[in-house]
Each structure stands twice: as structure tokens, then as C-alpha cells.
Amino acid sequence: MTKFLITGGAGFIGSHVVDLLASQNHQLLVIDNFSTGKSTNLAISDHVLLVDGDIRNYEMVIDYFSDFRPEKVIHLAAQAAITTAIKDPYEDASVNILGIINVLKASKKVNVDRFVYSSTSAVYGDKVTLKIVEGVPWYAPDNPYGVSKFCAELYVRITDIQHTILRLGNVYGPRQVPIGENQVIARMMRHFFKGDDFEIFGDGKQKRDFIYVTDVAEAIKLACFETYVQDNVYNISGGKSYSVNSILVLLERICEVEGYKWTYDLLRKDERQNMIMDIRSAQKNLNWTPKVSLQEGIKKTVEWWSK
């Protein structure tokens, strides 16, 4: 049994990480301020303790760290909406940069033996051409969100705590609630099941690299016990690209409503045209590979939304 402290553990990705680790009888302390997370995402048990807290409050952070004495920290708490980052870069930086400084400082003080940071493909910043991106020195974030997440990576890199950085692709699945104009699959689902407005930017031919949330949770768990290197950076995604239109067709087929009328709008200036991520390093060094196909993942997501 290992003691894990998980920031943002009541959120979309975090709650699936908690599910996985709790099922293996690890002891978990979850810190979440419920800005996007929900307590109902978690099954509280003898193995899972949930506390309300904001990582920008260092006194609160160090109190929980000192009392719980975690062996491993999984840092998922973040301001994740690109639109929010553009409108209020101060708020974005206060969570994504100042917040992680607090968590790293507390981790060092209690001698955490592994720090896993959840980053994003937004650090690459390529919005025009199809680029297979790897964990190499090629960075050009083109919005405040990508900048703040990359800056946080740099703070992780200079710590002397053993650490792993995971750059996530387009994660989707149950419990995902759209944040602003992010998360295209969740936005489709909310439109389809709740009737919320939804417009496809551009012609829908732009491609994304999608990854189902339980595959991400598995990668995070493996990163906590990584032994190949001390501080590697891995892309965690499907390693394939699918157009937005192809996702629409798949959703129509699963819901048996082929020919559904979708609304198209102008392409946003910050909209990426194509994105595919090279996951070979994670496959080799973490012994990880995505298991859930896009069709299976969409079906599971539809089942969750239908309930």
C-alpha cells in the first residue's frame, strides 16, 4: 500500500485516477477546491479521504502534506480553460504556476519520492501543420494556458524530487463537463443530450488526437512507479488523429440518429488544424499503450451521458 496525495482528484481525470488507485487498496488524500470537480465523482471509503482546499493557499497545502505524509504526489489541479486563460491570464497563472510552486515546496518538505505532473499538448503550440510531437525541446505555446503549463513544467524539471511529466492529448470520457469552448467531445454530448448550443469551428476537417480517460489514469499510475529514468517527459494520447466530422458520424451511429443536423461556424484564429502525438516513448519506457478504441470510448461516454 502506497500513500498518494492527489491535487484536483475530484475532477474529470482525477476521479478516474482515484478509482484506479483505490481499487488497488492504496491510501489516498484528495485535495480539490471544487471549481470544476465534484465530490459525487468519488466513492469515499477507508482508502479515500477528500478535503476542500485551494493549492494557492500554502499554509493549507503544507498542513495537509505534513499530516498525511504522502509518498507520491499526482498534481492534476489546474485552470484548464483556454478561453479563461486568454481573458484572465492572471487567474490562469495563479493556479497553474503559483499553485504548483506551493505543491512542489510542500512535496520537498515531506520528502515525497515521486512527483507526477499532468501537462498538456498545448505546450507545443502548433496550430497549423500536422506535426508528430515528441518529448523533445520544441516548444511554442501560442496562448496563456500553454505558457502557464509549460512554465510549470520548468519548475518541475528543476526540483530535485524524482518526477515525471505527462503531456496529455485530447482526453475524453465519463464525468467530463465542458469548460468554456474546450473539450469538443463533451460539448457534442452536452448539446446532444441537454440541448446546449454547439457549433463546429471551421469545416470540421481539423484533426485531433483523442485518448480515453481510463487509459490516461493507467499512464499516471505507471508514471508513479517509473524506474527507467528519473525525470522523463511523455506524450499520453492515442497516437492517431481523427477529424471532428468523423467523431460526429461515430456519435450519430452509436445514438442511431444518422443525418443529424450540426451547425458550422467560422474557424477560430487559435484553432489547431491538425494534431497527432508520438507516444512511442511512453509505450517503451512506461510499458503503457492505450487500450480503449475511439468507438468503444465514445460508446462508454454516450452511456454515461444517457444516465
Side-chain angles (χ1 to χ4, degrees):
M1 183 179 70
T2 302
K3 297 178 73 174
F4 289 85
L5 187 147
I6 306 173
T7 68
F12 162 50
I13 296 174
S15 62
H16 287 277
V17 175
V18 170
D19 285 349
L20 176 59
L21 294 175
S23 72
Q24 299 174 352
N25 295 322
H26 295 295
Q27 195 69 33
L28 312 177
L29 173 63
V30 176
I31 299 177
D32 204 297
N33 69 352
F34 307 109
S35 57
T36 58
K38 298 178 180 179
S39 60
T40 53
N41 284 339
L42 301 180
I44 305 302
S45 67
D46 293 340
H47 294 289
V48 180
L49 174 64
L50 172 63
V51 295
D52 185 351
D54 193 310
I55 58 172
R56 290 173 289 188
N57 181 343
Y58 179 71
E59 295 304 319
M60 178 277 298
V61 170
I62 192 57
D63 282 348
Y64 284 132
F65 270 76
S66 299
D67 290 343
F68 185 67
R69 311 298 294 188
E71 299 165 71
K72 302 182 187 296
V73 171
I74 300 171
H75 185 62
L76 296 166
Q79 190 300 110
I82 294 176
T83 50
T84 297
I86 293 172
K87 294 176 182 176
D88 191 353
Y90 179 87
E91 173 70 12
D92 179 73
S94 71
V95 178
N96 293 347
I97 300 175
L98 298 181
I100 199 171
I101 291 173
N102 287 339
V103 178
L104 283 169
K105 183 178 178 181
S107 297
K108 182 175 177 60
K109 190 166 185 177
V110 301
N111 298 314
V112 166
D113 65 41
R114 172 68 61 172
F115 189 97
V116 175
Y117 173 55
S118 171
S119 188
T120 171
S121 62
V123 302
Y124 294 111
D126 180 25
K127 64 174 183 289
V128 179
T129 61
L130 177 65
K131 180 175 288 293
I132 298 177
V133 293
E134 303 177 74
V136 296
W138 190 92
Y139 316 113
D142 52 16
N143 61 65
Y145 171 66
V147 170
S148 68
K149 294 293 282 186
F150 181 58
C151 182
E153 282 193 16
L154 297 179
Y155 277 102
V156 174
R157 284 168 177 262
I158 63 173
T159 182
D160 55 5
I161 305 170
Q162 292 186 7
H163 54 270
T164 306
I165 296 169
L166 304 179
R167 292 174 176 162
L168 309 183
N170 292 83
V171 188
Y172 73 98
R175 303 177 195 157
Q176 185 180 37
V177 178
I179 303 173
E181 295 176 334
N182 297 5
Q183 297 96 22
V184 64
I185 290 179
R187 290 175 54 234
M188 291 178 188
M189 297 289 181
R190 189 168 66 180
H191 167 76
F192 198 80
F193 286 98
K194 302 291 185 181
D196 289 27
D197 290 339
F198 173 73
E199 293 180 326
I200 301 162
F201 302 122
D203 57 12
K205 294 180 181 179
Q206 60 268 41
K207 294 181 178 180
R208 298 290 179 270
D209 192 338
F210 296 98
I211 181 71
Y212 190 67
V213 65
T214 58
D215 282 331
V216 172
E218 178 67 18
I220 290 171
K221 183 201 76 173
L222 292 171
C224 290
F225 298 99
E226 177 192 20
T227 58
Y228 180 74
V229 290
Q230 299 298 317
D231 55 286
N232 212 341
V233 179
Y234 299 107
N235 292 326
I236 302 298
S237 201
K240 301 177 182 178
S241 62
Y242 297 89
S243 70
V244 173
N245 284 336
S246 69
I247 303 296
L248 298 176
V249 171
L250 186 55
L251 179 59
E252 291 175 11
R253 288 176 181 171
I254 291 173
C255 295
E256 299 180 344
V257 288
E258 295 185 49
Y260 187 83
K261 185 172 178 59
W262 300 93
T263 302
Y264 290 80
D265 200 355
L266 296 175
L267 185 69
R268 293 172 56 192
K269 65 177 182 179
D270 60 343
E271 181 83 357
R272 285 180 176 175
Q273 276 298 97
N274 299 294
M275 191 65 176
I276 183 171
M277 302 183 75
D278 188 334
I279 60 174
R280 288 174 294 179
S281 183
Q283 290 174 312
K284 177 182 177 180
N285 299 326
L286 290 181
N287 194 28
W288 170 89
T289 194
K291 298 176 181 178
V292 181
S293 69
L294 183 65
Q295 182 169 347
E296 181 184 357
I298 293 290
K299 185 176 180 180
K300 289 176 179 288
T301 307
V302 167
E303 289 173 353
W304 180 81
W305 275 90
S306 68
K307 297 177 182 179

